[in-house]
Coordinates of all heavy atoms in Angstrom, one line a residue:
S17 N 1.9 11.2 0.1 CA 3.1 12.0 0.3 C 2.9 13.1 1.3 O 3.8 13.6 1.9 CB 3.5 12.6 -1.1 OG 2.4 13.4 -1.6
K18 N 1.6 13.5 1.5 CA 1.3 14.6 2.5 C 1.6 14.1 3.9 O 1.7 14.9 4.8 CB -0.1 15.1 2.3 CG -0.4 15.8 1.0 CD -1.8 16.4 1.0 CE -2.0 17.1 -0.3 NZ -3.4 17.7 -0.4
Q20 N 4.1 12.1 4.8 CA 5.5 11.9 5.0 C 6.2 13.2 5.5 O 5.8 14.3 5.1 CB 6.1 11.5 3.7 CG 5.7 10.1 3.2 CD 6.3 9.7 1.9 OE1 6.8 10.5 1.2 NE2 6.3 8.4 1.6
S21 N 7.1 13.0 6.4 CA 7.9 14.2 6.8 C 8.8 14.7 5.7 O 9.4 13.9 5.0 CB 8.7 13.8 8.1 OG 7.9 13.5 9.1
P22 N 8.9 16.0 5.5 CA 9.9 16.5 4.5 C 11.3 16.1 4.8 O 11.6 15.9 6.0 CB 9.7 18.0 4.6 CG 8.4 18.2 5.3 CD 8.2 17.1 6.2
P23 N 12.1 15.9 3.8 CA 13.6 15.7 4.1 C 14.2 16.8 4.9 O 13.8 18.0 4.7 CB 14.1 15.5 2.7 CG 13.2 16.2 1.8 CD 11.8 16.1 2.4
L26 N 15.1 20.2 3.2 CA 14.0 21.0 2.7 C 13.5 22.0 3.8 O 12.8 22.9 3.5 CB 12.9 20.2 2.1 CG 11.8 20.9 1.3 CD1 12.4 21.6 0.1 CD2 10.8 19.9 0.8
W27 N 13.8 21.7 5.1 CA 13.2 22.5 6.1 C 13.6 24.0 6.1 O 12.7 24.8 6.3 CB 13.6 21.9 7.5 CG 12.7 20.8 7.9 CD1 12.9 19.5 7.9 CD2 11.3 20.9 8.3 NE1 11.8 18.7 8.3 CE2 10.8 19.6 8.6 CE3 10.5 22.0 8.6 CZ2 9.5 19.4 9.0 CZ3 9.2 21.8 9.0 CH2 8.7 20.5 9.2
P28 N 14.8 24.4 5.8 CA 15.1 25.8 5.6 C 14.2 26.5 4.6 O 13.7 27.6 4.8 CB 16.5 25.9 5.2 CG 17.1 24.6 5.8 CD 16.0 23.6 5.6
N29 N 13.9 25.8 3.5 CA 13.0 26.3 2.5 C 11.6 26.4 3.0 O 10.9 27.4 2.8 CB 13.1 25.4 1.2 CG 12.2 25.9 0.1 OD1 11.1 25.5 -0.1 ND2 12.7 26.8 -0.7
L30 N 11.1 25.4 3.7 CA 9.7 25.4 4.2 C 9.5 26.5 5.2 O 8.5 27.2 5.3 CB 9.4 24.1 4.8 CG 9.3 22.9 3.9 CD1 9.0 21.6 4.7 CD2 8.2 23.1 2.8
L31 N 10.6 26.8 6.0 CA 10.5 27.8 7.1 C 10.9 29.2 6.6 O 11.0 30.2 7.4 CB 11.4 27.4 8.2 CG 11.0 26.2 9.0 CD1 12.0 25.7 10.0 CD2 9.6 26.4 9.7
S32 N 11.2 29.3 5.3 CA 11.6 30.6 4.6 C 12.9 31.2 5.2 O 13.1 32.4 5.3 CB 10.4 31.6 4.8 OG 9.3 31.3 4.0
L33 N 13.8 30.3 5.6 CA 15.0 30.7 6.1 C 16.2 30.7 5.1 O 17.3 31.2 5.4 CB 15.5 29.7 7.3 CG 14.5 29.7 8.5 CD1 15.0 28.6 9.5 CD2 14.5 31.1 9.2
D34 N 15.9 30.2 3.9 CA 16.9 30.1 2.9 C 17.3 31.4 2.4 O 18.5 31.7 2.2 CB 16.5 29.1 1.7 CG 15.0 29.4 1.3 OD1 14.3 30.2 2.0 OD2 14.6 28.8 0.3
W68 N 13.3 37.8 5.7 CA 12.4 36.7 6.1 C 11.0 37.2 6.1 O 10.1 36.5 5.6 CB 12.7 36.3 7.5 CG 11.9 35.1 8.0 CD1 12.1 33.8 7.7 CD2 10.7 35.2 8.8 NE1 11.1 33.0 8.3 CE2 10.3 33.8 9.0 CE3 10.0 36.2 9.4 CZ2 9.1 33.5 9.7 CZ3 8.8 35.9 10.1 CH2 8.4 34.6 10.3
Y71 N 9.8 37.4 2.4 CA 9.7 36.1 1.9 C 8.4 35.4 2.3 O 7.7 34.8 1.5 CB 10.9 35.3 2.3 CG 11.4 34.2 1.3 CD1 11.3 34.4 -0.1 CD2 11.9 33.0 1.8 CE1 11.7 33.4 -0.9 CE2 12.3 32.0 0.9 CZ 12.2 32.3 -0.4 OH 12.6 31.3 -1.3
V72 N 8.1 35.5 3.6 CA 6.9 34.9 4.2 C 5.7 35.5 3.6 O 4.7 34.8 3.2 CB 6.9 35.0 5.7 CG1 5.5 34.6 6.3 CG2 8.0 34.1 6.3
R75 N 5.1 34.3 0.1 CA 4.6 33.0 0.0 C 3.2 32.9 0.4 O 2.4 32.1 -0.2 CB 5.5 32.0 0.9 CG 6.9 31.8 0.2 CD 7.6 30.8 1.0 NE 8.8 30.4 0.2 CZ 9.6 29.4 0.5 NH1 9.4 28.7 1.7 NH2 10.7 29.1 -0.2
L76 N 2.8 33.6 1.4 CA 1.4 33.6 1.7 C 0.5 34.2 0.6 O -0.6 33.7 0.3 CB 1.2 34.5 3.0 CG 1.8 33.9 4.3 CD1 1.6 34.9 5.5 CD2 1.0 32.6 4.6
L77 N 1.0 35.2 -0.1 CA 0.3 35.8 -1.2 C 0.2 34.8 -2.4 O -0.8 34.6 -3.0 CB 1.0 37.1 -1.7 CG 0.9 38.3 -0.8 CD1 1.8 39.4 -1.3 CD2 -0.6 38.8 -0.8
D78 N 1.4 34.1 -2.6 CA 1.4 33.0 -3.7 C 0.4 31.9 -3.4 O -0.3 31.4 -4.3 CB 2.8 32.5 -3.8 CG 3.7 33.3 -4.7 OD1 3.2 34.3 -5.4 OD2 4.9 33.1 -4.7
A79 N 0.4 31.5 -2.1 CA -0.5 30.4 -1.7 C -2.0 30.8 -1.9 O -2.8 30.1 -2.4 CB -0.3 30.1 -0.3
K80 N -2.3 32.1 -1.6 CA -3.7 32.6 -1.8 C -4.0 32.7 -3.2 O -5.1 32.3 -3.6 CB -3.8 34.0 -1.1 CG -5.2 34.5 -1.2 CD -5.2 35.9 -0.5 CE -6.7 36.5 -0.6 NZ -6.7 37.8 0.1
F84 N -3.8 26.3 -4.7 CA -3.4 24.9 -4.7 C -4.1 24.0 -5.8 O -4.5 22.9 -5.5 CB -3.7 24.3 -3.3 CG -3.1 25.1 -2.2 CD1 -3.9 25.9 -1.4 CD2 -1.7 25.1 -2.0 CE1 -3.3 26.7 -0.4 CE2 -1.2 25.9 -1.0 CZ -2.0 26.7 -0.2
P89 N 1.4 22.2 -9.2 CA 1.7 21.2 -8.2 C 3.0 21.5 -7.4 O 3.1 21.1 -6.2 CB 2.0 19.9 -9.0 CG 2.4 20.4 -10.4 CD 1.6 21.6 -10.6
W90 N 3.9 22.4 -7.9 CA 5.1 22.7 -7.2 C 4.8 23.5 -6.0 O 5.6 23.7 -5.1 CB 6.1 23.3 -8.1 CG 5.7 24.7 -8.6 CD1 5.7 25.9 -7.9 CD2 5.1 25.0 -9.8 NE1 5.2 26.9 -8.7 CE2 4.8 26.3 -9.9 CE3 4.7 24.2 -10.9 CZ2 4.2 26.9 -10.9 CZ3 4.1 24.8 -12.0 CH2 3.8 26.1 -12.0
L91 N 3.6 24.2 -5.9 CA 3.3 25.0 -4.8 C 2.9 24.3 -3.6 O 2.9 24.8 -2.5 CB 2.1 26.0 -5.2 CG 2.4 27.0 -6.3 CD1 1.1 27.7 -6.7 CD2 3.4 28.0 -5.9
K92 N 2.6 23.0 -3.7 CA 2.0 22.3 -2.6 C 2.8 22.2 -1.3 O 2.3 22.2 -0.2 CB 1.5 20.9 -3.1 CG 0.3 21.0 -4.0 CD -0.3 19.7 -4.3 CE -1.6 19.9 -5.1 NZ -2.3 18.6 -5.3
K93 N 4.1 22.0 -1.5 CA 4.9 21.8 -0.2 C 5.2 23.1 0.5 O 4.8 23.2 1.7 CB 6.2 21.1 -0.6 CG 6.1 19.6 -1.0 CD 7.4 18.9 -1.2 CE 7.2 17.5 -1.5 NZ 8.5 16.8 -1.8
R94 N 5.8 24.0 -0.1 CA 6.2 25.2 0.6 C 5.1 26.1 0.9 O 5.0 26.7 1.9 CB 7.3 25.9 -0.1 CG 6.9 26.5 -1.5 CD 8.2 27.2 -2.2 NE 7.8 27.9 -3.3 CZ 7.6 27.4 -4.5 NH1 7.8 26.1 -4.7 NH2 7.4 28.2 -5.6
H95 N 4.1 26.2 0.0 CA 3.0 27.1 0.2 C 1.9 26.5 1.0 O 1.3 27.2 1.8 CB 2.4 27.6 -1.2 CG 3.4 28.4 -2.0 ND1 4.4 27.9 -2.7 CD2 3.6 29.8 -2.0 CE1 5.1 28.9 -3.3 NE2 4.6 30.0 -2.8
E96 N 1.6 25.2 0.9 CA 0.7 24.6 1.8 C 1.2 24.6 3.2 O 0.4 24.7 4.2 CB 0.4 23.2 1.3 CG -0.8 22.6 2.1 CD -1.3 21.3 1.5 OE1 -0.8 20.9 0.4 OE2 -2.1 20.6 2.2
F97 N 2.5 24.5 3.4 CA 3.1 24.6 4.7 C 2.8 26.0 5.3 O 2.5 26.1 6.5 CB 4.6 24.3 4.6 CG 5.3 24.3 6.0 CD1 5.3 23.1 6.7 CD2 5.9 25.4 6.5 CE1 6.0 23.1 7.9 CE2 6.5 25.4 7.7 CZ 6.6 24.2 8.5
H98 N 3.0 27.0 4.5 CA 2.7 28.4 5.0 C 1.2 28.6 5.3 O 0.8 29.3 6.2 CB 3.2 29.4 4.0 CG 4.6 29.7 4.1 ND1 5.6 28.7 3.9 CD2 5.3 30.8 4.5 CE1 6.8 29.2 4.1 NE2 6.7 30.5 4.5
R99 N 0.3 27.9 4.5 CA -1.1 28.1 4.7 C -1.5 27.3 6.0 O -2.3 27.8 6.8 CB -1.9 27.5 3.5 CG -3.4 27.7 3.7 CD -4.2 27.1 2.6 NE -4.1 25.7 2.5 CZ -5.0 24.9 1.8 NH1 -5.9 25.5 1.0 NH2 -4.9 23.6 1.8
K100 N -0.9 26.1 6.2 CA -1.2 25.3 7.4 C -0.8 26.1 8.6 O -1.6 26.0 9.6 CB -0.5 24.0 7.3 CG -0.7 23.1 8.5 CD 0.1 21.8 8.3 CE -0.2 20.9 9.5 NZ 0.6 19.6 9.4
W101 N 0.3 26.7 8.6 CA 0.8 27.4 9.8 C 0.6 28.9 9.6 O 1.4 29.7 10.2 CB 2.2 27.1 10.1 CG 2.4 25.6 10.3 CD1 2.9 24.7 9.4 CD2 2.1 24.9 11.5 NE1 2.9 23.4 10.0 CE2 2.5 23.5 11.3 CE3 1.6 25.2 12.8 CZ2 2.3 22.5 12.2 CZ3 1.5 24.2 13.7 CH2 1.8 22.9 13.5
R102 N -0.4 29.3 8.9 CA -0.6 30.7 8.6 C -0.6 31.7 9.8 O 0.0 32.7 9.8 CB -1.9 30.9 7.8 CG -2.2 32.3 7.3 CD -3.4 32.2 6.4 NE -3.8 33.6 5.9 CZ -4.6 34.4 6.5 NH1 -5.2 34.0 7.7 NH2 -4.9 35.6 6.1
G103 N -1.3 31.3 10.8 CA -1.4 32.1 12.0 C 0.0 32.4 12.6 O 0.3 33.5 13.0
L104 N 0.8 31.3 12.7 CA 2.1 31.5 13.3 C 3.0 32.4 12.4 O 3.8 33.2 13.0 CB 2.8 30.1 13.5 CG 2.2 29.3 14.7 CD1 2.9 27.9 14.7 CD2 2.4 30.0 16.0
F105 N 2.9 32.2 11.1 CA 3.7 33.0 10.2 C 3.3 34.5 10.3 O 4.2 35.4 10.3 CB 3.6 32.5 8.8 CG 4.6 31.3 8.5 CD1 4.1 30.1 8.2 CD2 5.9 31.5 8.5 CE1 4.9 29.0 8.0 CE2 6.8 30.5 8.2 CZ 6.3 29.2 8.0
I106 N 2.0 34.7 10.4 CA 1.5 36.1 10.4 C 2.0 36.7 11.7 O 2.4 37.9 11.8 CB 0.0 36.2 10.3 CG1 -0.4 35.8 8.9 CG2 -0.5 37.5 10.7 CD1 -1.9 35.7 8.7
D279 N 12.0 20.6 -5.7 CA 12.4 20.9 -4.4 C 13.9 20.9 -4.3 O 14.5 21.8 -3.7 CB 11.8 19.9 -3.4 CG 10.3 20.1 -3.2 OD1 9.9 21.3 -3.3 OD2 9.6 19.1 -3.0

Side-chain angles (χ1 to χ4, degrees):
S17 61
K18 290 184 180 180
Q20 295 178 339
S21 297
L26 191 58
W27 277 105
N29 182 266
L30 292 177
L31 295 172
S32 293
L33 297 175
D34 44 353
W68 184 82
Y71 209 38
V72 168
R75 287 187 167 185
L76 291 173
L77 289 172
D78 278 348
K80 182 179 180 180
F84 307 103
W90 65 83
L91 293 173
K92 289 191 172 180
K93 287 186 180 177
R94 67 184 189 274
H95 292 85
E96 189 170 350
F97 185 85
H98 278 65
R99 184 182 68 167
K100 180 180 179 180
W101 301 101
R102 183 173 178 271
L104 288 177
F105 277 113
I106 291 176
D279 288 327

